[in-house]
Amino acid sequence: MGSKNKLKRFKENETFNNVIQPTREEVVSGSFPYKGKWNSDFFKNNNPIVVELGCGKGEYTIGLAQRNPNINYIGIDVKGARFWRGAKTSQEENLHNVAFIRTQIELITDIFAKNELDEIWITFPDPQIKYKRTKHRMTNSDFLQLYKKILKPNGIVNLKTDSEFMHGYTLGLLHGERHEVIYANHNVYKNEGAPSEVIEIQTFYEKQYLEIDKAITYIKFKIK
């Protein structure tokens, strides 16, 4: 993507009422205005809140929001030029149950209050295969504890990935730490039983993976 295109998207993001781009200082200082108030002050309803971490172009956030108008969806990514597409689509389709935040995922406990979320989606994260990158894996123990803080007691986490490594690593960790694995599938398009939202919503890159017959995996779990 050219720099002119990026600048254009950054500018357009600033005009969208469903895009929030706080500074890091605002977030870590505790002055982020929607923490604990997403339902009352932003969405102005009491519907469940679901977050997609590392939302990229926002395909999953938008796809879920289209299917479930009585659920609020928030996509988070540090790259605003990526989620511009999702933000623009939600504006064009007049989706009122969608928001996008430009921030780092490790700051989510400064963005959301305890027990504020009902569900989290992690779609096609970087598997961070090298051992020294373990701390950056989005399903490592530290991240799971962050998610636990902001999820309701029975909150759900969904991991969808094309990485056999990430799938295996996460399953092993979940079993080792005695978390509750509700459903696991190492090839959702070849095995029956995958939830409809797992196979009926596809990201741009997922479609490319499927063209070369790359397996897509999925895990649904609760953090104990």
Side-chain angles (χ1 to χ4, degrees), residues 69-95:
N70 294 320
I71 298 177
N72 302 319
Y73 292 92
I74 303 172
I76 298 180
D77 205 293
V78 74
K79 296 191 176 180
R82 283 185 185 166
F83 66 59
W84 163 86
R85 179 64 267 171
K88 190 172 181 68
T89 297
S90 63
Q91 293 283 318
E92 293 169 343
E93 297 189 8
N94 206 27
L95 296 173

Side-chain angles (χ1 to χ4, degrees), residues 19-37:
V19 171
I20 303 159
Q21 303 185 88
T23 64
R24 185 181 179 90
E25 290 72 24
E26 179 185 0
V27 173
V28 299
S29 69
S31 58
F32 182 71
Y34 294 117
K35 180 178 179 179
K37 300 177 181 179

Side-chain angles (χ1 to χ4, degrees), residues 112-215:
F112 303 105
K114 182 179 179 181
N115 300 340
E116 193 165 20
L117 304 185
D118 292 79
E119 194 167 351
I120 289 173
W121 280 82
I122 305 169
T123 51
F124 302 96
D126 186 332
Q128 307 287 1
I129 292 175
K130 292 183 179 179
Y131 178 75
K132 65 181 180 180
R133 301 290 295 176
T134 302
K135 66 180 181 180
H136 297 289
R137 284 181 208 144
M138 289 176 61
T139 55
N140 70 29
S141 294
D142 291 339
F143 272 118
L144 292 187
Q145 291 310 306
L146 289 183
Y147 307 155
K148 183 179 180 180
K149 289 179 181 177
I150 57 178
L151 280 167
K152 291 178 180 174
N154 285 313
I156 299 292
V157 182
N158 305 273
L159 171 67
K160 187 178 181 183
T161 176
D162 64 301
S163 169
E164 292 181 13
F165 169 83
M166 187 69 166
H167 182 78
Y169 165 81
T170 303
L171 264 185
L173 183 71
L174 294 174
H175 287 307
E177 295 186 353
R178 300 183 182 278
H179 302 298
E180 181 184 349
V181 177
I182 300 169
Y183 179 88
N185 192 326
H186 68 279
N187 195 334
V188 294
Y189 292 100
K190 295 290 177 69
N191 300 317
E192 294 182 0
S196 60
E197 65 267 24
V198 175
I199 55 178
E200 292 175 8
I201 302 174
Q202 297 176 355
T203 70
F204 172 79
Y205 292 107
E206 181 178 358
K207 290 173 182 175
Q208 293 184 334
Y209 301 147
L210 292 174
E211 285 179 4
I212 59 173
D213 203 31
K214 192 172 188 182

